[in-house]
Amino acid sequence: MKVAIVSNPRHRAGDMIEYLLLRAVHTFNKFVPADLLIVEGELGEPEEGFLKDLFLSVERRRLPLAPLWLVRQEGAALPEAPEQVDVNGVPESPAALVERIRLAAGGLPDFCRAPFEAVLADVGADGSIRAERVPMAVEKLPGVTDFHVHTRMAYCCENMDIPKALRMAELSNIETVAFIEHSGQLYFDVDDYWAGRYVWKTRGKADGCPAVCRMPGYEETIREGRRSGAFLNGFELDVDRNGDIILDEPDRRFAQVRLGAYHHMAEKYDAHIASRQFLFCTEALLKYGVHILAHPFRIFPWSGMAKPKELYEPVAELLRRCGVAAEVNFHQNDPEPEFFEICLKKGVKIALGSDSHNLYEVGFFLPHFRFLAELGVTGRLDEVLYRFPEQAR
């Protein structure tokens, strides 16, 4: 049985601990799966609304593993902990389980200090306990950039705020952030975008989607954000079924960083046609001049289809020829090791993107670095990671 413990969060106003706690919840639900997650010790100074985003995210994502709270503090409305939990078929009080793990691990790290470590304990049926520390911030390395962070203008935004996102990047040991936005969401209303009608119909035409103009709001969001620090900005560019990029030419001036993404498939019912359409639209994005291909094959499982492995080689070759990086992205996505191995053999650079729609995601590169370790490139990140042209000077 695997038990994760977050000890002594000790929140203080404005310290972002609530989002690091939320990061831990997602980590032990998906990336380092646990059977039980316990938050214990000193909670700190709960503000009004403290942990609101945590509870909303657990509910929104329908996470099966919610925290068990062994903290009691005035002003903190938390669920009551059960008197006992099942530990390998034996009932035990959560407090006693925590103490057993604390003793076996030689103590529990305070979660309120970098690198914001939790403990994951493998509790055996024979009473044995093996514990490891799981940090919520990666090791600080020069030049590491999160190239895929959304803003409040995204229809899919949960709680994004540029000043807070910059602070989360700093706490996560991320040197640079690129704030980007879905171009289609700046030109189409929410219903037309999510229904994928923008792929089929021409904006502003009598028989097409009505025109909307959210670009000024995005530009103002970026201007306001610059008061809080330096960052890159640009677009996650959508493409229609004709291979036309959803970005008006006058707005290209604001496209400092350009990610290319295929979000809505026009043909979902024939795998062969779907693959041809994907390749056609991907090539259109690359030839347009994107820097990074975002979540390359995610559209297939999102459309109820298997990822077409026969396209790994041709897409990697297109990336090589066009000088475009491939993005490692874990946002509702599982990157394909085989595809990225082909990219690395061809010299295609790897870009890291959190695809943040929630503040806890900004700079959350624990899964990315584990993926890079599995690819065997941890020792040569300077060689394989993508650097934006201005960073490479």
Side-chain angles (χ1 to χ4, degrees), residues 30-46:
K30 179 177 180 180
F31 302 109
V32 190
D35 303 298
L36 183 65
L37 170 59
I38 299 173
V39 181
E40 69 95 38
E42 297 180 34
L43 188 60
E45 302 171 355

Side-chain angles (χ1 to χ4, degrees), residues 236-264:
E236 183 175 8
L237 295 169
D238 287 295
V239 58
D240 71 15
R241 69 187 180 101
N242 298 314
D244 293 328
I245 309 305
I246 311 296
L247 186 70
D248 290 347
E249 190 57 34
D251 295 327
R252 182 162 174 152
R253 62 185 167 76
F254 209 59
Q256 182 185 21
V257 177
R258 298 182 295 277
L259 277 63
Y262 189 40
H263 285 112
H264 291 92

Side-chain angles (χ1 to χ4, degrees), residues 7-28:
S7 183
N8 293 321
R10 293 199 186 100
H11 169 71
R12 298 293 182 270
D15 64 6
M16 312 298 284
I17 284 293
E18 61 266 48
Y19 298 107
L20 291 158
L21 272 170
L22 179 53
R23 182 177 292 183
V25 172
H26 281 272
T27 294
F28 294 117

